Amino acid sequence: DTNKLHDFQWQQGYVDMLHSLEVLNNDELHYKRALLHEAEGDYTIQHKEPNTLYPNLHQYFQNAFNEINQVKKLYPDDWKRIHDKLVVEKQEFVNLLSLAGINTRYEVSEDFQKQVRSVLMPKMNFQSTLDALLLLIDAPFFPASKEWIGVLRKKWCPESPLMALCSNVTKLDSNGNTVGVNKNNAGLTIEIHRYIRLHLLYYLWIIVEHYQCLQLNTEEGEIYGILKHKNSKYVNDEQLILWAKSICAILNGEPLLGSYVLVPQIESLIRQLAEGKIGDMTKLADELQQEHTFGGILDKLRPYMPEDLNDELRLFLVDGCDENIRNEMMHGLIKNPMQVQKHSVYILYIALNLYFREDVFLFQD
């Protein structure tokens, strides 16, 4: 029937009927479905109208890939063809999102910059490294108060209806692969945390850049002595050396090196604090004791921590929809080192508060 030639929904139903009648086995069903989804995508591409966006086009090839992936060993050539089409269309989808203005970008206003400088300048007459560390620890804004988040949410919902509608977030990498999915209307929450984090980054960089301009040249031994004086029961002497080296590196203008050493120390300290609060954090699986993932640790800590602080640590460190700094650094997935460099002072800020304020910072009321 030529009328059914491009009625792909009817054809999918026909294939399903053949399977129910046992004319097609499971492998044949997956294969036929994959070819129909691919054909629907190809047909859409061939009949695109000018000046028209097709935001769901990549989904045809995603559906095709999901089906052909079930029978990859039987049809390797078809699998590769569909996979390649999926990557191309997902890359096009990323470009479409960018052109459509769905990617949000925030800037620190001139009024905020002036306000920060007026507040900080009288406080930055540093005589020692300790003076700079104390000012970094005492930075405002973090974690974001519920009142502030509420204000931003009320402000953005009417001003950004597109953001409100697209409040479930899917993050794609540069190759068009899905690397993060966050549902339950999380879009606005993620954007609010990014907005607040940007302002804190500006505040922290003013302090660090001024410290570096003074050319005080921080020594590892000096940092080690400051840390040792605190005498944290959660960090042993071997770890203390890594803390000193990483903090010294960030202050002395080597943010990449310092960040890559410091992030695992942050995770280790949070694990130690969690065990002190909850108890043993290992889980039994197949008669083996395994450590929880860091995301699992944060899940366990959620009842004991301020919700906004827990959200921020998750979004910044392990959530694929946001910076995901910890996961990408630990697995060597960061393609833009400048992203780590930009956030190095924020990593330092979190580390200093965890170390010097310990559970007061993590479990504050």
Side-chain angles (χ1 to χ4, degrees), residues 293-306:
T293 63
F294 190 46
I297 295 291
L298 293 176
D299 285 341
K300 291 281 188 180
L301 288 175
R302 197 163 188 84
Y304 305 94
M305 292 173 59

Side-chain angles (χ1 to χ4, degrees), residues 130-148:
L130 181 59
D131 293 337
L133 295 180
L134 289 173
L135 193 56
L136 286 169
I137 292 171
D138 202 35
F141 316 127
F142 184 95
S145 68
K146 290 184 178 180
E147 291 76 14
W148 195 359

Side-chain angles (χ1 to χ4, degrees), residues 318-335:
V318 297
D319 196 309
C321 286
D322 200 351
E323 297 302 336
N324 202 19
I325 286 288
R326 179 265 179 202
N327 282 2
E328 295 196 358
M329 285 174 61
M330 299 291 279
H331 297 108
L333 299 176
I334 289 182
K335 296 182 179 180

Side-chain angles (χ1 to χ4, degrees), residues 21 55 77 89 98 127 130 147 164 170 177 184 226 272 302 308 358:
L21 295 174
D77 293 338
E89 289 306 320
S98 178
Q127 301 299 316
L130 181 59
E147 291 76 14
T170 299
N177 297 316
N184 302 321
I226 294 172
Q272 293 293 322
R302 197 163 188 84
D308 302 319
E358 291 182 348

